[in-house]
Amino acid sequence: MCIRDRKKSIKKKATKKKAATKKTTKKAPKKGRNVEELTAFALGSANTQYPDTYAPEVLEAFDNKNPGSDAWTTFVCTEFTSLCPKTAQPDFARIYINYIADKKMVESKSLKLYLFSFRNHGDFHEDCVQKICDDLTKLMKPKFIEVIGEFTPRGGICIYPYASNSNNKKIYKDIRAKRFSEYAPGKYT
């Protein structure tokens, strides 16, 4: 084979390879969120305002793109603080939020700001956990939600409050009843 024929052969192979590559590299359909959906959120804003009192109004929700599917979402806040309503001493906890979304989901930065707003809020541990569960239920109307607080000991006693809620569908009412009846510290965290 002469040099000219060899060059033609190599060029043909390169052209075939390029054509094959073009056929297989199709653009995937765009599945992300569009800009209009995201403009109203505090996420990404240059100036974050941290509330200094209990502030449920900072919570934001966005549309769940898969409301027909069931999936667990879990948030863990490792630095939750509130104040004892009697002594004004700080209380520290891990807060676990587990939920199955319906049509809405909570935006994580707004949740962080909301949980931060308890820092100067005076309430008992059980009341804080119940309030978080109620506020998130009101915001999202999830299929199922549970909130668990693992508060550090004060006076040698740990307190682990649990609150839950569900919609009226039997499957979610059953989940709620089962998890509530079987709850023990550490079971769902």
Side-chain angles (χ1 to χ4, degrees):
M1 185 182 268
C2 71
I3 293 176
R4 189 181 331 151
D5 290 339
R6 182 176 266 162
K7 284 182 180 178
K8 281 183 183 179
S9 175
I10 292 171
K11 194 173 183 180
K12 267 187 181 178
K13 285 179 184 175
T15 305
K16 282 182 183 177
K17 194 173 187 179
K18 197 173 185 181
T21 305
K22 278 186 179 179
K23 287 178 186 174
T24 59
T25 53
K26 294 179 182 177
K27 285 188 177 181
K30 187 176 178 183
K31 292 187 177 185
R33 303 260 173 200
N34 65 41
V35 176
E36 291 81 31
E37 287 180 276
L38 305 175
T39 55
F41 292 115
L43 180 64
S45 62
N47 186 14
T48 300
Q49 298 293 323
Y50 290 92
D52 57 2
T53 59
Y54 166 69
E57 65 277 2
V58 301
L59 284 169
E60 297 177 345
F62 61 92
D63 292 336
N64 178 7
K65 284 191 159 190
N66 303 289
S69 300
D70 285 348
W72 286 99
T73 299
T74 298
F75 290 102
V76 181
C77 175
T78 59
E79 299 176 348
F80 180 84
T81 58
S82 62
L83 296 176
C84 172
K86 182 76 173 160
T87 66
Q89 293 293 311
D91 290 317
F92 303 94
R94 274 182 189 254
I95 299 292
Y96 296 85
I97 300 165
N98 303 314
Y99 75 95
I100 302 171
D102 194 1
K103 294 181 174 121
K104 295 284 184 185
M105 300 178 83
V106 66
E107 193 279 318
S108 61
K109 183 176 182 180
S110 77
L111 179 62
K112 178 185 90 164
L113 295 172
Y114 165 74
L115 293 173
F116 185 85
S117 79
F118 281 83
R119 173 162 267 148
N120 295 317
H121 178 73
D123 234 337
F124 292 113
H125 303 152
E126 300 86 346
D127 296 326
C128 289
V129 166
Q130 187 65 58
K131 195 170 285 207
I132 294 166
C133 187
D134 292 346
D135 288 343
L136 290 173
T137 298
K138 183 179 175 185
L139 175 75
M140 299 184 294
K141 297 172 185 57
K143 295 173 183 175
F144 172 81
I145 187 169
E146 63 188 3
V147 179
I148 304 154
E150 292 184 349
F151 285 81
T152 57
R154 291 190 78 230
I157 297 175
C158 296
I159 300 176
Y160 290 175
Y162 175 92
S164 64
N165 208 331
S166 70
N167 67 16
N168 288 323
K169 288 189 179 173
K170 182 177 179 348
I171 185 172
Y172 306 111
K173 287 169 73 172
D174 290 349
I175 290 170
R176 182 180 184 201
K178 181 172 176 40
R179 288 175 77 89
F180 188 81
S181 69
E182 294 178 355
Y183 175 72
K187 180 152 179 130
Y188 305 129
T189 59

